[in-house]
Amino acid sequence: MFHEVDWAAVWKAAGETAYMVGISTFFTALFGIPLGILLVITDRGHIREMPWVQKLVAAVVNFFRAVPFIVLVLFLFPLAEWLVGTSLGPTAATIPLIAGAAPFYARIVETALREVDKGVVEAARSMGSTRFQVVTKVLLPEATPALVSGLTVTCVTLISFSAMAGVVGGGGLGDAAFRFGFQSFNDGMLVVCGFLLVVMVQLVQWIGDWVSRQLDKR
Amino acid sequence: MIQLKDIGKTYPPRQGFDGVTALEGVNLTIEKGDIFGIIGRSGAGKSTLLRLVNGLESPTSGQVWVDGEEITRLEERDLRFARQKIGMIFQHFNLLWSRTVWENVAFPLEVAGKSKTEIKRKVDGLLERVGLTDRANAYPSQLSGGQKQRVGIARALANDPKVLLCDEATSALDPETTTSILKLLKEINRETGITLLLITHEMSVVRSICHRVAVMEEGRVIEKGTVKEVFRNPVHPLTRQLVHQTEEEGEGKGLRIRCEAGNFPALWHSLRQAVAGRQVTVRVLEGELNEDGGIVLVLEGDLEQAEKALREAAPDWVEEGGISLVP
Ligand SMILES: Nc1ncnc2c1ncn2[C@@H]1O[C@H](COP(=O)(O)OP(=O)(O)OP(=O)(O)O)[C@@H](O)[C@H]1O
Ligand SMILES: [Mg+2]
C-alpha cells in the first residue's frame, strides 16, 4: 500500500512539524522558565515575597491551562496574523502552541524549583548571595535535570498538539495525515504520518531522558 | 564580637498558625576568639537565635551587633557584605549537589566577586586545610557525611570570616566523625582566632570544645557561664538534667578513675600497654588538674575488661597508687 505514499509531501510535512515543535518548545522554555521562577520566588517565605504578583501570575497561568487547546487554536490563529503576519501555516501555529504549552511548563518549572532544598537556598543567602544569584547559581542549576525532563514532557505534548493545530491550518504531519490520508482514503499516508509522529515522540523522549540523566549528579 | 541586646522574636499569627514567641529577653555577649555553645531542647529557639546573627531573621525587638556593626540596622546591600564575613555550617550540610566539591567551595568566592586566580588559590588552600584535596572533583553525593561537613566548613571559611555559626553541625554524624569535625573546628579556632558560635542539643559537644555555654529553654537563656562552672555547679533544673545526662553516658560506657597528678605519667604508660587488645580506650576526661591535684580518667569500653586492664596496669593501685574509683 505504500506505493500510494507521496513521500515528498510526507517529508515536507515532517519538516513543518519539526519546525513548529522546535520553535514552540524554544519559546515555551523562554516564557515558562521566568514564569515558573516568578511563581516560586514571590511566594510566602521565599526570596522575593510578593503575594499579589504570585496570585496574579498563578491566575493567568491557570486560566491558560484551563482553556481547552482547541479553543486556544481557534482564538489565537487570528491573533497570529497580527503577531507574525500570517494566520496560516506552521509559523502561525506556533502562537497557540506556545500559549498552550508555556503555562503548562511554567507549572512544571515551579514544581522543579520548589523541590530545591530550602537549606541550600538558606546557605546561599548566608554567604551573601543576591536574589539574582540565588536564582541563577542555586535554583536553576540545582533543578536542571527536572527542568530538562519537564521540557521533554512538554515537547512531547507539543508534538501531539502540533498535529491538532495542523488540522486547523498549521500544516505538518497531523495536517498531512488528515488531508492526504484520512480525507483521501489513503491508508498508506495515514500510517506513515502517524508512524513518523510516534518516532518523533520516541526520539525526543530518549534524548530528553539521556540529557537529564547526564546532568543529574544526585 | 557578637552582642545580642534584649532580643525578642515573635512569629506573628497567620492563617492556620497561632503565632509563637521564639525568643524573649535574650542578652548574650560573645568575645572574639571564643568558642561559645548554645544548648537547649528542640524548639527552644536556638536556630532562630543563630539566624539573627547573620540577619537571615530579624528580631522583633532588640539589637544584634557583630564586629562593631549593628546587623539589625543594615541595608540589604551592606547586610550581604556583612554576611560574607560570617560563615555558617549546617546540620544537613546544604551543599549544592550540582557542583563538585571544588565548585561548592568556590561558590562564596564567586558571590563575593573574586577573580578566577584568587578563587583557585583560595579553594585549593581550603581543600588542603580540610583534607579533601583528593576529592576535589567528586560530587557531594559521592561523599560521606563527615566529608560533606568538611566541604561545608571549607565553604564557610572561604571569605575569611570573623565568625563561624554552626547549627547542629555534628548532629547528623556518628560519634567518631563528630569528634574529628569538632577537632577540626577547634584547630581552626586556634589557628585563625575565629569566633565560633555553635548550637547543639548534645552536652558532650559543649563539653568537648566550648569555652562558654548558654542554656536555652522556651526562648530564654536560663543559664550561662564558662563550661567548667556550668558543669560543676548547674543551677537550673534543665541544666542539671543535661549535665547529668552526659555524666551518665560517660559512666555507662566504662570505668572512671581518679589518680594523683604525680602518679599520672607512670599510670598512663602502664595503662596503655594494659588496654592493648582489650577493646578499652583510655581518655583523660577533664584534661586538667582538679582542686585536690587529681586527674580523672575514663577507661571506655566493657567494664570487666576495663577493670582487668586497671588491675594489670596498677596491681596495688588502691594502697600505693593514689588511685581511686570515681562513683
Ligand atoms: N519561620 C517560622 N515561622 C513560625 N514559627 C517558627 C519559624 N521558625 C521557627 N519557629 C518557631 O520558633 C520556635 C523556635 O524554633 P527554633 O527553630 O529556633 O528552635 P530550635 O531550638 O532550633 O529547635 P531544634 O533543636 O528543633 O532545631 C519554635 O516554636 C518554632 O516552631
Ligand atoms: Mg534548630
Side-chain angles (χ1 to χ4, degrees):
Chain A
M1 67 190 198
F2 288 127
H3 63 271
E4 299 168 37
V5 172
D6 177 354
W7 289 101
V10 168
W11 294 128
K12 179 168 174 286
E16 285 171 354
T17 295
Y19 170 83
M20 268 191 286
V21 172
I23 299 273
S24 43
T25 301
F26 175 79
F27 280 99
T28 294
L30 196 70
F31 294 124
I33 291 173
L35 280 175
I37 293 171
L38 214 55
L39 280 171
V40 173
I41 64 172
T42 56
D43 205 2
R44 190 206 306 288
H46 219 287
I47 53 174
R48 198 22 141 185
E49 220 173 286
M50 289 191 290
W52 284 109
V53 175
Q54 215 272 344
K55 287 204 176 81
L56 187 75
V57 176
V60 170
V61 164
N62 283 343
F63 173 79
F64 275 92
R65 288 190 56 200
V67 177
F69 180 65
I70 194 69
V71 176
L72 282 184
V73 170
L74 296 174
F75 272 88
L76 292 182
F77 257 99
L79 188 71
E81 170 92 59
W82 176 69
L83 275 172
V84 292
T86 168
S87 64
L88 270 181
T91 306
T94 57
I95 304 298
L97 285 176
I98 295 164
F104 175 73
Y105 188 52
R107 284 296 186 189
I108 295 180
V109 172
E110 180 191 4
T111 312
L113 298 184
R114 282 192 201 281
E115 291 286 304
V116 174
D117 188 359
K118 279 237 157 106
V120 182
V121 174
E122 170 150 322
R125 291 221 296 141
S126 81
M127 291 180 265
S129 309
T130 62
R131 294 188 176 93
F132 185 74
Q133 286 169 327
V134 170
V135 171
T136 56
K137 285 177 178 289
V138 180
L139 291 179
L140 291 177
E142 292 284 288
T144 301
L147 295 181
V148 170
S149 62
L151 195 60
T152 308
V153 173
T154 310
C155 187
V156 167
T157 310
L158 276 169
I159 293 174
S160 74
F161 277 9
S162 81
M164 220 193 299
V167 177
V168 191
L173 286 169
D175 183 37
F178 184 69
R179 279 196 295 141
F180 307 139
F182 183 74
Q183 285 185 326
S184 321
F185 305 103
N186 183 338
D187 289 347
M189 264 322 245
L190 198 60
V191 169
V192 168
C193 291
F195 179 73
L196 280 183
L197 283 170
V198 173
V199 168
M200 279 190 174
V201 167
Q202 268 312 331
L203 212 62
V204 166
Q205 192 68 51
W206 274 334
I207 295 173
D209 286 349
W210 183 81
V211 172
S212 177
R213 254 201 319 277
Q214 294 305 305
L215 293 169
D216 200 339
K217 306 287 194 241
R218 256 183 296 210
Chain B
M1 178 56 87
I2 305 174
Q3 250 187 314
L4 303 176
K5 294 185 186 166
D6 220 3
I7 298 289
K9 172 74 188 178
T10 310
Y11 290 104
R14 52 167 198 262
Q15 210 178 4
F17 174 71
D18 288 340
V20 63
T21 301
L23 295 172
E24 216 177 335
V26 173
N27 283 291
L28 277 182
T29 302
I30 296 158
E31 298 300 334
K32 191 169 171 356
D34 205 355
I35 303 184
F36 197 102
I38 295 176
I39 187 165
R41 292 270 151 81
S42 190
K46 308 181 295 292
S47 296
T48 307
L49 185 85
L50 198 71
R51 293 156 51 82
L52 290 172
V53 177
N54 60 3
L56 285 176
E57 207 79 72
S58 45
T60 319
S61 61
Q63 300 174 353
V64 179
W65 291 79
V66 177
D67 197 25
E69 260 183 326
E70 191 183 345
I71 295 291
T72 26
R73 290 181 62 158
L74 291 181
E75 301 273 327
E76 166 84 27
R77 203 181 115 86
D78 295 324
L79 184 58
R80 284 205 311 272
F81 288 127
R83 281 180 185 155
Q84 292 173 7
K85 292 289 170 195
I86 305 175
M88 191 168 186
I89 59 176
F90 307 85
Q91 178 173 4
H92 298 294
F93 324 120
N94 296 350
L95 304 177
L96 286 96
W97 61 255
S98 59
R99 288 179 170 232
T100 62
V101 165
W102 199 96
E103 292 163 345
N104 263 287
V105 179
F107 185 98
L109 296 162
E110 290 171 19
V111 164
K114 294 284 175 358
S115 73
K116 280 235 162 61
T117 42
E118 174 152 20
I119 292 178
K120 172 140 181 38
R121 186 181 62 79
K122 226 42 244 221
V123 174
D124 288 345
L126 285 158
L127 287 181
E128 169 117 45
R129 178 63 195 89
V130 299
L132 282 176
T133 306
D134 55 334
R135 305 295 282 150
N137 295 317
Y139 284 90
S141 60
Q142 302 163 325
L143 302 179
S144 70
Q147 289 173 326
K148 284 183 196 155
Q149 197 56 291
R150 283 169 188 271
V151 179
I153 292 171
R155 181 176 71 172
L157 296 176
N159 283 313
D160 300 312
K162 301 186 181 99
V163 174
L164 182 59
L165 308 174
C166 315
D167 191 348
E168 303 270 9
T170 58
S171 298
L173 304 174
D174 62 47
E176 272 128 76
T177 316
T178 295
T179 310
S180 78
I181 293 293
L182 293 178
K183 183 164 160 270
L184 177 64
L185 289 174
K186 210 170 183 168
E187 285 168 8
I188 288 165
N189 165 264
R190 212 171 30 228
E191 289 163 16
T192 64
I194 194 171
T195 308
L196 287 182
L197 175 55
L198 55 96
I199 285 180
T200 178
H201 57 258
E202 294 167 306
M203 207 57 166
S204 55
V205 170
V206 171
R207 184 172 198 156
S208 61
I209 86 166
C210 295
H211 305 146
R212 300 180 148 266
V213 62
V215 185
M216 287 190 68
E217 188 179 42
E218 289 177 1
R220 294 173 169 281
V221 172
I222 53 171
E223 195 157 347
K224 59 187 167 191
T226 66
V227 171
K228 219 163 64 179
E229 280 164 18
V230 170
F231 265 85
R232 187 167 305 153
N233 188 21
V235 178
H236 195 279
L238 173 66
T239 320
R240 283 194 189 162
Q241 214 178 344
L242 289 167
V243 169
H244 192 62
Q245 254 170 21
T246 39
E247 276 173 356
E248 263 179 358
E249 276 164 23
E251 256 173 7
K253 274 191 279 171
L255 195 65
R256 273 161 162 259
I257 54 175
R258 159 175 290 160
C259 78
E260 277 167 23
N263 297 318
F264 176 70
L267 178 69
W268 182 253
H269 186 72
S270 48
L271 264 178
R272 257 183 43 189
Q273 288 166 352
V275 297
R278 280 192 204 270
Q279 307 279 316
V280 173
T281 49
V282 185
R283 234 161 35 98
V284 179
L285 211 56
E286 299 200 333
E288 63 188 302
L289 291 179
N290 286 325
E291 286 133 335
D292 55 2
I295 293 174
V296 177
L297 300 175
V298 59
L299 308 187
E300 283 178 343
D302 182 48
L303 214 60
E304 207 172 302
Q305 288 294 320
E307 256 180 53
K308 277 190 188 156
L310 181 60
R311 259 178 241 293
E312 192 179 309
D316 42 6
W317 52 280
V318 187
E319 294 84 32
E320 299 168 35
I323 299 168
S324 58
L325 287 178
V326 181

